[in-house]
Amino acid sequence: MTTKISIQAAHKTFGSGEKAIVALQEVNLEIGSNEFVTFVGASGCGKSTLLRCIGGLESLSSGSIKVDGAEINGPGVDRAMVFQHYSLYPWLTVTENIKFSRQLRAGREELTSSDVEAASGRADALINLMGLNHVRDAYPNQLSGGMQQRVAIARALLPRPQILLMDEPFGALDAQTREVMHDMILHVSKLEKTTIVFVTHDVEEAIYLGQRVVVMAPRPGRVDSIYQVDLPEQRDQDMKLAPGFLQQKKAILTRIRETAGMHTDYELLERMTQQAAQQNDMQ
Amino acid sequence: MSSRNKILARWDSLWVIRGELSRRTYLMFALFGMLVPLAAWWGVSVSGWMDKVFMPGPMDVVSRAYTWFMEDELSHDIWISTYRVLAGFTLSAVLAIPIGLMIGTYRPVQAMLEPLTDFIRYMPAVAFIPLVMLWVGIDESSKIAIIFIGTFFQMVLMVAEDVRRVPITQIEAAQTMGASRAEIVSLVIVPSAKPALLDTLRVTMGWAWTYLVVAELVAANSGLGYSILRAQRFMQTDKIFAGIILIGLIGLTIDQLFRWLHRRNFPWMYKK
């Protein structure tokens, strides 16, 4: 597998002086072409920051991120991004949202007229692929959260990006919609041969989707450990109940708990129980 | 359930917090809200509690408005006042929208202009009258200038705030699609802020009308505000009432026009 994204000694600090927060410390990682990598970790571990750095929305304090060997400099059409929500344009219809990038100069520069025709066909193909045909003229606020995210994904895919960066894209969806979206995005990654970097707080989602799961740890934000996922390439929802899957889920959850520096205060719970019991006795 | 209980339940359902109201019930309440003060006004005036000089009745006001229209120059007064308001308002909108857009988009512009604007907007527009007379003279432009001073600075700050409220993810999504800065401003920020901008214009239009009376203090010899001030000198309270109510009605009409424009231009906000 050839390397697509190469992260070397990435460092990111927010603020300065005593209040400085180290969001990323010494992150080194290679992501392969057409790989599906998921990132999990306790809050504050820098997983979203790292994704935003790859997308070019934030810049590193030091270190480098290279795509195909060339250092990135700001956002680019080779790296599309899907956000958790509020990223669609409410004044445009579904079709207009999906075609948004075509009115940008960056998207037009190298196009010949036959490319433009192909792009028009591509918008239709994506609308079909995402099951959006019946709502193509609707406005985003008429759609459910799951449908809105399909539009956001289709819009990101339109200019055929080589890399798709996803920042908790299904975090606001209900469990059933999420399952549907999981199989959909796996299917898309195979068809489009896109490299996908996917940030989530849901470990089950991370294992189900990822070929590798990168666990990050907070204070300072860093890569803690990397888990290779041994599931058949063709995923299926029942696999989530297989012993191997559950074992890996447990291992990752335990690791995240250890790094989070947060735990249930059993002593406090015990005291609460005793107090409640005493009050009941007195009555 | 007895019919009494049914009526009680229905009455109770009207007072659900942030509840729904049918269009018919809404209109009934709105009409009630308008008619009660009108009836109270009429009641006070026919009871003879108050001298007609202090409190003319609704009919006195209507007949005064009629003679104002027939024997005096009511339509000219309406026209010239509306013209002054629209000219002052348009001038401030034409300047405030691009300036507010720049303040809300680029930090250096914000740093340069926002504290300054904040400072100036606290200066009372009325106090500028002597200066305005000195600088622009006493013709139409001085009245327009007063209305401009009263609305422009507030408008700049409100436009900047509308622009700042555009969700950052909408902007970042465009960045990751390769949009240039100019494209982000024209294809994302402006269309995203448009509905809020139209609302800002609607609100500031109200302020422009309140500054009209102030503006017509400045050596005017026509206009609704001027007529109200002159009526004061002759103790024509009925004419004062008529002038105030007319300004209210014109304002209400313009407000409804803005609301209609909003529904027409931003259909996506009204579809559910």
Side-chain angles (χ1 to χ4, degrees):
Chain A
M1 191 158 51
T2 53
T3 302
K4 189 79 197 169
I5 306 170
S6 164
I7 303 163
Q8 286 153 5
H11 234 281
K12 172 79 184 171
T13 316
F14 287 112
S16 59
E18 279 181 22
K19 282 184 187 162
I21 293 164
V22 181
L24 295 173
Q25 190 177 57
E26 192 62 27
V27 174
N28 291 289
L29 198 69
E30 308 247 297
I31 295 168
S33 205
N34 198 17
E35 197 185 350
F36 201 133
V37 187
T38 52
F39 284 75
V40 285
S43 70
C45 69
K47 53 190 193 291
S48 278
T49 306
L50 181 62
L51 193 79
R52 290 170 60 80
C53 285
I54 300 173
L57 293 174
E58 311 256 4
S59 50
L60 292 173
S61 304
S62 69
S64 72
I65 296 173
K66 289 177 180 160
V67 171
D68 290 331
E71 191 153 341
I72 61 158
N73 176 25
V77 280
D78 54 337
R79 284 155 287 137
M81 195 145 170
V82 177
F83 301 82
Q84 186 172 3
H85 43 201
Y86 305 131
S87 78
L88 292 179
Y89 300 128
W91 62 94
L92 300 177
T93 65
V94 166
T95 314
E96 288 164 345
N97 261 289
I98 292 172
K99 288 179 174 176
F100 182 83
S101 62
R102 279 218 269 126
Q103 43 180 331
L104 304 175
R105 205 147 31 85
R108 281 199 305 256
E109 243 161 29
E110 294 139 32
L111 292 184
T112 62
S113 62
S114 66
D115 286 338
V116 174
E117 262 169 54
S120 185
R122 171 137 178 95
D124 284 331
L126 282 169
I127 287 169
N128 279 324
L129 179 67
M130 294 289 166
L132 293 167
N133 224 333
H134 61 295
V135 292
R136 54 189 305 151
D137 295 319
Y139 289 104
N141 65 358
Q142 296 173 287
L143 305 181
S144 66
M147 286 304 232
Q148 289 187 15
Q149 284 309 69
R150 286 175 199 228
V151 179
I153 293 168
R155 181 180 67 177
L157 288 174
L158 186 87
R160 295 187 193 277
Q162 293 159 357
I163 297 165
L164 189 59
L165 306 168
M166 307 184 85
D167 193 2
E168 302 197 23
F170 309 140
L173 306 182
D174 63 86
Q176 285 69 44
T177 311
R178 270 161 98 137
E179 283 187 356
V180 175
M181 297 297 276
H182 288 161
D183 291 326
M184 186 273 297
I185 195 69
L186 283 170
H187 191 66
V188 166
S189 83
K190 247 175 256 149
L191 287 177
E192 297 273 324
K193 306 239 179 299
T194 326
T195 306
I196 299 185
V197 185
F198 190 106
V199 166
T200 176
H201 56 257
D202 179 348
V203 174
E204 188 176 279
E205 178 172 81
I207 300 171
Y208 189 72
L209 295 177
Q211 289 159 8
R212 278 192 297 164
V213 179
V214 178
V215 175
M216 292 185 70
R219 285 175 297 274
R222 62 198 187 274
V223 172
D224 177 81
S225 44
I226 298 176
Y227 294 78
Q228 195 74 39
V229 179
D230 290 322
L231 291 175
E233 201 189 306
Q234 185 59 49
R235 304 285 213 262
D236 135 17
Q237 294 292 342
D238 289 337
M239 287 174 193
K240 290 179 183 167
L241 300 171
F245 189 100
L246 292 173
Q247 233 164 36
Q248 194 157 46
K249 183 175 165 185
K250 189 175 177 201
I252 294 174
L253 274 173
T254 309
R255 191 60 208 141
I256 294 174
R257 228 170 264 145
E258 282 165 3
T259 61
M262 261 190 272
H263 52 87
T264 311
D265 188 344
Y266 289 104
E267 234 172 75
L268 173 71
L269 297 186
E270 182 61 30
R271 258 184 290 139
M272 285 162 77
T273 317
Q274 278 170 6
Q275 234 163 36
Q278 273 171 11
Q279 273 169 6
N280 281 340
D281 285 346
M282 282 195 293
Q283 279 167 6
Chain B
M1 214 194 309
S2 73
S3 64
R4 195 183 126 77
N5 279 348
K6 256 184 214 161
I7 291 167
L8 276 178
R10 187 161 150 60
W11 178 249
D12 187 61
S13 75
L14 294 176
W15 304 99
V16 171
I17 291 174
R18 295 203 185 164
E20 293 288 329
L21 219 52
S22 75
R23 204 171 161 71
R24 224 185 88 222
T25 326
Y26 186 94
L27 279 173
M28 265 167 56
F29 274 93
L31 210 62
F32 185 70
M34 297 282 241
L35 286 178
V36 166
L38 195 68
W41 178 24
W42 180 79
V44 168
S45 72
V46 291
S47 70
W49 284 348
M50 284 179 86
D51 196 319
K52 265 200 192 306
V53 175
F54 295 114
M55 179 66 103
M59 286 325 288
D60 303 322
V61 172
V62 170
S63 76
R64 167 61 78 169
Y66 182 73
T67 44
W68 187 359
F69 177 70
M70 294 304 285
E71 291 157 28
D72 219 340
E73 300 200 306
L74 176 60
S75 26
H76 177 70
D77 286 332
I78 290 178
W79 151 246
I80 193 75
S81 288
T82 310
Y83 162 75
R84 285 167 186 158
V85 167
L86 286 184
F89 172 83
T90 310
L91 189 64
S92 48
V94 164
L95 291 170
I97 290 174
I99 293 173
L101 177 65
M102 290 297 114
I103 291 178
T105 307
Y106 299 111
R107 286 285 170 184
V109 184
Q110 182 187 351
M112 255 189 298
L113 296 182
E114 201 168 46
L116 179 70
T117 314
D118 252 328
F119 171 57
I120 299 176
R121 99 185 150 111
Y122 276 105
M123 301 177 180
V126 188
F128 280 92
I129 291 178
L131 284 177
V132 168
M133 287 171 79
L134 200 64
W135 291 338
V136 240
I138 52 166
D139 58 353
E140 283 311 308
S141 43
S142 65
K143 287 121 203 158
I144 294 169
I146 296 290
I147 293 172
F148 173 82
I149 292 170
T151 51
F152 172 74
F153 299 99
Q154 311 275 357
M155 210 193 258
V156 167
L157 296 176
M158 286 173 76
V159 169
E161 194 50 38
D162 292 338
V163 169
R164 269 195 291 266
R165 286 225 184 95
V166 172
I168 186 70
T169 26
Q170 289 183 1
I171 294 166
E172 288 181 339
Q175 284 175 333
T176 59
M177 285 186 271
S180 67
R181 283 175 192 160
E183 283 171 331
I184 288 172
V185 172
S186 65
L187 297 174
V188 179
I189 293 179
V190 169
S192 187
K194 256 191 207 163
L197 288 178
L198 192 62
D199 265 333
T200 291
L201 292 183
R202 184 172 64 81
V203 172
T204 42
M205 175 61 100
W207 299 342
W209 276 97
T210 60
Y211 280 103
L212 172 76
V213 181
V214 174
E216 291 184 351
L217 275 170
V218 188
N221 49 22
S222 60
L224 291 171
Y226 162 76
S227 303
I228 292 172
L229 294 167
R230 199 186 48 173
Q232 178 201 9
R233 231 173 289 151
F234 297 104
M235 282 293 266
Q236 294 171 315
T237 26
D238 47 2
K239 193 164 183 183
I240 298 179
F241 266 73
I244 293 173
I245 291 171
L246 275 170
I247 291 179
L249 286 176
I250 298 169
L252 186 67
T253 311
I254 295 178
D255 201 83
Q256 290 300 314
L257 198 72
F258 269 109
R259 286 178 196 274
W260 174 78
L261 274 176
H262 206 276
R263 281 193 302 274
R264 211 187 80 114
N265 285 301
F266 313 117
W268 50 273
M269 296 192 91
Y270 298 89
K271 283 184 184 169
K272 274 282 168 302

